[in-house]
Amino acid sequence: MKVVTLNRRELAGAVADVGVLVPIAVALMVKNGLSATAVLLPAALLYFTVATVYKLPVPVQPLKAFGAIAIAKGLGADDIAAGALLMGAIFCALGQLRLLDLAARGFPRALIRGVQLTVGLLFLKIAWTLVTSPSKGFKEYALSSGWALPLAMLVLVLAFAFRRLPITLALVGAGAIVAVVLAGDKASFGPSAISVPHLDGATFWTAFTVLVLPQVPLSFANSCLATADAARAYFGRLGERVRPGRLATTFGSANLLAGAISGMPVCHGAGGMTAHYAFGARTAAAPAAMGALLLTLALALGSGLAALLAAFPLPILAGVLATAGVLHILLLRDLHRARDWAVALLVGIVGFELNLTVALALGLALWWLPVGVSRLPRLRTA
């Protein structure tokens, strides 16, 4: 049994995925009016669940497509809560019925690598946007792109070169100090108010059509299939406990809580697994530490947290996120056959440029149609 020890490497791995968490969390607080405490509480509790259930650094992230659409359309807390409840119900049901574990058998490794390529490219895109076109919540403290882009590249080089050292701990620590210096006067103690959403049929319909439908394929492919695959790739037999159905159940349950308190919908993610692992996380200590950090921020500083997080240096977030994206794309190195590369590249590029649902359909067709055609003569002679 792997010994759980909280050391610098585990702490460095624990904070390595903040490049996804912080930008979406800040935008949901500032633009959509979500309570900071409600935003972080589901993520904190899911990290504790991860530490208990999987005993590995399984990541916790915001629902990316869901969050991006909600932010872009300026949807209110009630719409977001309804979407979280629907996501929770859907994935809890899929997880408990073991339908995802069954479906996972039809997805070859090449297709999963394509999903991971999509996620890696998405990380790079988000990192680029953070420093070239920061969202409204970061505008007050954001550097011009002429300064932010070179600094982010420097962070990328440092994070990549020294990833076997606790470099993310130093970078995130430096970013926290900068945030306190810039916006410490806006901080306040205590949690922010949590409210129960006001829901009706129209709210659920809006949430289902606008938020849930685009997110479900991404969560199925990335949060369940690709995360389970990454766990096996990084942890071998220990990663076998990270199954698609269990992942659906754990993040589905967290979304039921998020919806109940008008919080931020959350999921798992293969890119976050790479970030945690690449920078040193190996045991339950990392998710437990991250859960404790988020819980402390939610309850002790929630009332003024939006201002503090908005002052966190974007080049650090972008550089660490871009490093995770590059390392995640490198998972494709275990592909050898031309057919595998063709499927992975098709799924990855189409998923990034167009739509992951379309990419998965094309990938499955490209993979299984030749298999079906090759079996036709045997069926005719049988």
Side-chain angles (χ1 to χ4, degrees):
M1 181 178 293
K2 187 175 280 289
V3 177
V4 178
T5 303
L6 185 60
N7 53 36
R8 288 179 298 173
R9 292 281 291 159
E10 292 287 343
L11 288 173
V15 300
D17 199 29
V18 295
V20 175
L21 177 65
V22 172
I24 295 178
V26 169
L28 288 172
M29 295 175 203
V30 173
K31 186 167 183 178
N32 301 86
L34 269 60
S35 156
T37 297
V39 163
L40 294 188
L41 199 55
L45 296 179
L46 184 51
Y47 262 123
F48 286 128
T49 301
V50 160
T52 303
V53 173
Y54 303 113
K55 299 178 175 60
L56 292 172
V58 174
V60 175
Q61 300 177 333
L63 289 175
K64 290 172 280 297
F66 186 117
I69 295 169
I71 293 162
K73 293 184 176 293
L75 297 179
D78 291 343
D79 296 310
I80 294 171
L85 290 171
L86 289 171
M87 287 293 295
I90 290 169
F91 280 92
C92 279
L94 291 173
Q96 289 302 301
L97 293 173
R98 299 187 178 181
L99 295 176
L100 294 183
D101 293 330
L102 183 63
R105 298 175 185 177
F107 287 78
R109 174 174 291 183
L111 196 146
I112 301 300
R113 291 289 179 266
V115 173
Q116 291 160 343
L117 174 58
T118 294
V119 173
L121 292 173
L122 179 63
F123 275 21
L124 294 176
K125 180 181 178 180
I126 296 172
W128 176 266
T129 303
L130 282 174
V131 292
T132 59
S133 182
S135 65
K136 179 182 176 181
F138 291 97
K139 287 287 187 182
E140 183 177 353
Y141 302 102
L143 297 171
S144 67
S145 59
W147 282 101
L149 188 56
L151 286 173
M153 292 297 295
L154 176 61
V155 171
L156 168 61
V157 171
L158 290 174
F160 194 88
F162 297 104
R163 63 187 183 277
R164 300 191 185 283
L165 300 174
I167 182 66
T168 53
L169 201 56
L171 290 169
V172 173
I177 292 171
V178 171
V180 170
V181 170
L182 293 177
D185 59 327
K186 299 179 181 179
S188 57
F189 293 102
S192 57
I194 292 178
S195 60
V196 177
H198 302 284
L199 304 173
D200 55 29
T203 304
F204 275 110
W205 180 249
T206 298
F208 179 73
T209 55
V210 177
L211 298 174
V212 175
L213 283 180
Q215 180 64 51
V216 166
L218 180 60
S219 292
F220 165 68
N222 182 45
S223 301
C224 300
L225 300 187
T227 301
D229 179 87
R232 291 192 298 272
Y234 293 135
F235 297 102
R237 292 186 62 184
L238 290 176
E240 292 177 2
R241 66 171 71 103
V242 185
R243 299 191 304 273
R246 295 185 80 183
L247 291 165
T249 301
T250 51
F251 87 78
S253 300
N255 279 315
L256 294 178
L257 170 64
I261 63 173
S262 299
M264 178 178 70
V266 290
C267 62
H268 303 301
M273 177 77 78
T274 293
H276 286 317
Y277 181 86
F279 291 103
R282 296 293 185 273
T283 71
M290 194 63 185
L293 173 62
L294 294 178
L295 185 63
T296 300
L297 291 174
L299 298 181
L301 297 172
S303 57
L305 189 59
L308 272 178
L309 290 180
F312 196 98
L314 291 177
I316 293 178
L317 293 177
V320 172
L321 182 60
T323 306
V326 171
L327 292 169
H328 200 52
I329 291 171
L330 291 178
L331 283 170
L332 275 72
R333 288 178 298 181
D334 66 356
L335 300 178
H336 302 294
R337 298 183 301 171
R339 181 189 178 201
D340 293 344
W341 275 100
V343 171
L345 291 175
L346 174 72
V347 172
I349 294 171
V350 173
F352 175 70
E353 292 288 349
L354 183 61
N355 182 282
L356 189 57
T357 305
V358 174
L360 289 173
L362 288 174
L364 286 170
L366 184 62
W367 185 269
W368 289 113
L369 280 178
V371 175
V373 171
S374 67
R375 291 179 179 176
L376 279 177
R378 296 181 220 168
L379 292 174
R380 289 172 182 169
T381 57

